């Protein structure tokens, strides 16, 4: 497993399903995250800048340790 810090903004978050997407700054990529990954706040909002760790395990990539920037 590989992990590194990144910055981006929340492009969507559905608190009912507990899932969202982050767009890294300078990239068209979309990185999924789960509500359990959010730190220091209860929720994040669309357009909110965040810092997160990008975790890659095999072919799966997801954001973990998502926190407000």
């Amino acid at each position: 497993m590989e992990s590194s810090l990144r910055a981006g903004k929340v492009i969507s978050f559905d608190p009912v399903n507990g899932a969202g997407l982050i767009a890294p700054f300078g990239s068209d990529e979309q990185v999924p995250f789960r509500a359990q990954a959010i730190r220091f706040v209860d929720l994040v909002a669309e357009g909110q800048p965040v810092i997160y760790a990008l975790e890659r395990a095999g072919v799966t990539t997801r954001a973990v340790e998502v926190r407000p920037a």
Side-chain angles (χ1 to χ4, degrees):
M1 181 179 1
E2 176 187 327
S3 179
S4 60
L5 291 178
R6 305 282 174 106
K9 71 176 180 178
V10 176
I11 54 175
S12 69
F13 179 65
D14 181 349
V16 174
N17 292 327
L21 293 170
I22 296 172
F25 291 139
S27 173
D28 292 332
E29 180 183 16
Q30 294 182 353
V31 181
F33 71 96
R34 301 291 302 168
Q36 297 89 337
I38 300 170
R39 302 289 182 259
F40 305 118
V41 295
D42 292 329
L43 297 173
V44 292
E46 187 175 317
Q48 180 175 1
V50 291
I51 296 173
Y52 60 96
L54 185 63
E55 182 179 83
R56 290 186 177 114
V59 297
T60 305
T61 301
R62 65 182 175 164
V64 295
E65 301 290 328
V66 177
R67 56 190 75 195

